[in-house]
Amino acid sequence: CAIVVGIVLFFVRWMHRKNIEAEVFKSRLLTKEKLMDIIRFEGYYPQLDEEGDIIFKIDSGTFNVEYNEAKLTLSYGFLMSGDEREIRELATQVSDNIIMSKIFITTLPDQDKEVIVSISLDTYCVYDYECKKVFAAYLRIVKETIARFYRGYEARQHSKDPQELRRADIYHPE
């Protein structure tokens, strides 16, 4: 009888310990609310948009954070005017130098010289402490990709022949 009581007590303690471990595990999982707290900790003011994604502003640009079942996507998009082929070449060049980020170019069907440039970074974060450690670094990577893209675009514009720029302005004024 004492052996049975001992086994039952051991089993009850073991189950209690497992329940505590499961609660700790659940409390450490990353959620959108915890992700918004991390963004606030970094000094930004996150909000939920109509689709349930997290958005926050840096300077005049809006960053978008999508989080679904451990997949975290940090993205930034903007409209750009210019030669689509040159913009795609520049996107490839920048992407080759910063491997973690992706640059997508989307042409607008009704616009002749405008494209949407979307710069993003995908990663997987399951626990809040993981995301706390890496979010600032991932944000720096996306911001550096944006900066390199703009610097490359400006360098390409300044390296063009002045006569060619003049002709483009005459025949295709903005």
Side-chain angles (χ1 to χ4, degrees):
C1 188
I3 295 175
V4 172
V5 171
I7 292 173
V8 169
L9 286 175
F10 173 77
F11 182 72
V12 168
R13 286 186 196 149
W14 181 78
M15 288 299 293
H16 181 68
R17 190 176 315 129
K18 288 296 178 188
N19 286 340
I20 291 173
E21 289 173 5
E23 288 300 317
V24 169
F25 173 77
K26 282 183 181 178
S27 70
R28 300 307 304 259
L29 290 175
L30 184 63
T31 61
K32 283 189 180 182
E33 291 77 24
K34 290 181 182 180
L35 188 53
M36 290 178 73
D37 289 340
I38 292 168
I39 295 170
R40 274 189 210 96
F41 180 78
E42 294 298 328
Y44 306 108
Y45 183 71
Q47 300 173 347
L48 289 176
D49 67 2
E50 59 276 351
E51 296 171 357
D53 296 333
I54 301 169
I55 57 172
F56 63 97
K57 290 190 180 277
I58 297 178
D59 298 328
S60 62
T62 301
F63 285 75
N64 184 30
V65 180
E66 296 175 32
Y67 183 71
N68 295 320
E69 298 180 19
K71 183 180 179 189
L72 177 76
T73 302
L74 177 62
S75 61
Y76 179 83
F78 53 94
L79 191 63
M80 180 166 254
S81 296
D83 183 26
E84 180 185 348
R85 185 184 53 78
E86 282 188 22
I87 293 172
R88 287 187 186 279
E89 287 174 3
L90 179 60
T92 302
Q93 178 186 355
V94 173
S95 293
D96 287 345
N97 292 327
I98 302 178
I99 297 170
M100 288 187 68
S101 62
K102 297 184 284 188
I103 303 176
F104 297 101
I105 308 296
T106 307
T107 56
L108 297 171
D110 55 344
Q111 299 293 327
D112 192 26
K113 288 284 191 178
E114 290 188 338
V115 295
I116 297 173
V117 179
S118 178
I119 297 173
S120 66
L121 182 141
D122 293 329
T123 188
Y124 288 91
C125 287
V126 177
Y127 301 107
D128 57 353
Y129 61 88
E130 290 175 329
C131 193
K132 283 179 188 175
K133 291 179 184 178
V134 298
F135 187 81
Y138 289 159
L139 185 58
R140 274 193 308 273
I141 291 168
V142 173
K143 288 169 66 176
E144 179 62 24
T145 305
I146 296 165
R148 286 187 186 189
F149 190 86
Y150 277 126
R151 283 194 306 263
Y153 185 75
E154 288 298 318
R156 285 174 181 241
Q157 294 303 312
H158 291 299
S159 68
K160 285 186 175 180
D161 179 31
Q163 192 69 9
E164 181 184 329
L165 288 175
R166 185 171 177 278
R167 277 194 302 266
D169 190 39
I170 291 171
Y171 295 115
H172 302 289
E174 292 184 16

